[in-house]
Amino acid sequence: FGMLWKGWRMKGKAVRKLGNKHGKSKTQTYKVWFQMHRRCYDKNFISYPRYGGTGVSVCERWNDYLNFLADMGDRPPGLTIGRKDNSLGYQPDNCRWETSIQQGSNKKNNHFIEWMGQRKTIAQWERDLGFKNGTLKRRIYCGWDVQKAMQAPIRISCRAYQ
């Protein structure tokens, strides 16, 4: 697929031909498969630097859409493909269908807080504690220690504790 992808705009007919051999090129699952390949192999694609540009690739088996479909099944509504381990590529044992919240918790730029024996992202703690989005992040940015940031009443702002 990588060879086909090289100059994919010029070889658009070849790419479309791949999609038409199974009659599923208009499905949501096919679109996920197609975009996965674009992220990994199309150097002009906006997401390439974070995927193909860092060495993320698609396993050989998944260069055939029907193999991808057999391994992953149809994309459930509201979910998209996610990698369990971001240091690995797209392959059957490393991929699953995920919600946007799951995907947001599995990013390289997340900030984690360990508190009371649990390690979670700031967004996960905010959801679990009932904070508005950004409350915990602001408190920590203001210099609060983790204990105070987690336990202060929800309505207490940075200025109230300065």
Side-chain angles (χ1 to χ4, degrees):
F1 198 88
M3 294 305 288
L4 174 67
W5 206 266
K6 190 175 181 183
W8 73 277
R9 291 179 202 276
M10 294 182 292
K11 297 181 181 179
K13 290 180 183 173
V15 172
R16 278 194 292 280
K17 199 181 278 184
L18 273 178
N20 289 334
K21 75 179 181 180
H22 44 65
K24 297 186 182 284
S25 62
K26 303 258 189 250
T27 67
Q28 291 300 310
T29 308
Y30 182 83
K31 290 175 186 173
V32 168
W33 175 84
F34 188 78
Q35 293 300 322
M36 173 180 68
H37 279 84
R38 282 190 77 189
R39 287 190 293 273
C40 294
Y41 301 114
D42 179 4
K43 291 180 181 175
N44 296 315
F45 193 57
I46 192 166
S47 299
Y48 176 82
R50 294 190 321 267
Y51 291 87
T54 63
V56 175
S57 63
V58 178
C59 70
E60 184 78 24
R61 175 173 167 74
W62 281 5
N63 286 339
D64 182 323
Y65 171 71
L66 294 177
N67 288 337
F68 173 77
L69 182 61
D71 292 341
M72 293 295 293
D74 282 320
R75 188 197 87 163
L79 302 183
T80 189
I81 195 163
R83 291 175 293 136
K84 298 172 192 172
D85 181 345
N86 284 334
S87 67
L88 301 175
Y90 290 98
Q91 56 202 41
D93 61 343
N94 192 42
C95 291
R96 62 184 173 205
W97 296 115
E98 295 180 333
T99 65
S100 58
I101 290 174
Q102 286 173 303
Q103 287 218 329
S105 296
N106 190 22
K107 293 176 10 181
K108 291 178 184 177
N109 64 346
N110 272 330
H111 297 279
F112 289 87
I113 295 176
E114 188 155 337
W115 185 58
M116 297 187 62
Q118 294 184 37
R119 184 176 188 266
K120 299 179 185 182
T121 65
I122 290 176
Q124 288 171 322
W125 280 118
E126 287 177 335
R127 280 191 301 277
D128 292 354
L129 297 172
F131 290 171
K132 283 176 32 181
N133 187 25
T135 299
L136 191 55
K137 184 177 180 179
R138 274 191 305 281
R139 288 178 174 183
I140 291 171
Y141 180 76
C142 286
W144 292 23
D145 64 56
V146 172
Q147 188 74 18
K148 182 167 96 174
M150 300 292 230
Q151 291 183 325
I154 292 172
R155 297 183 194 272
I156 302 295
S157 69
C158 287
R159 285 178 286 211
Y161 264 75
Q162 293 299 341

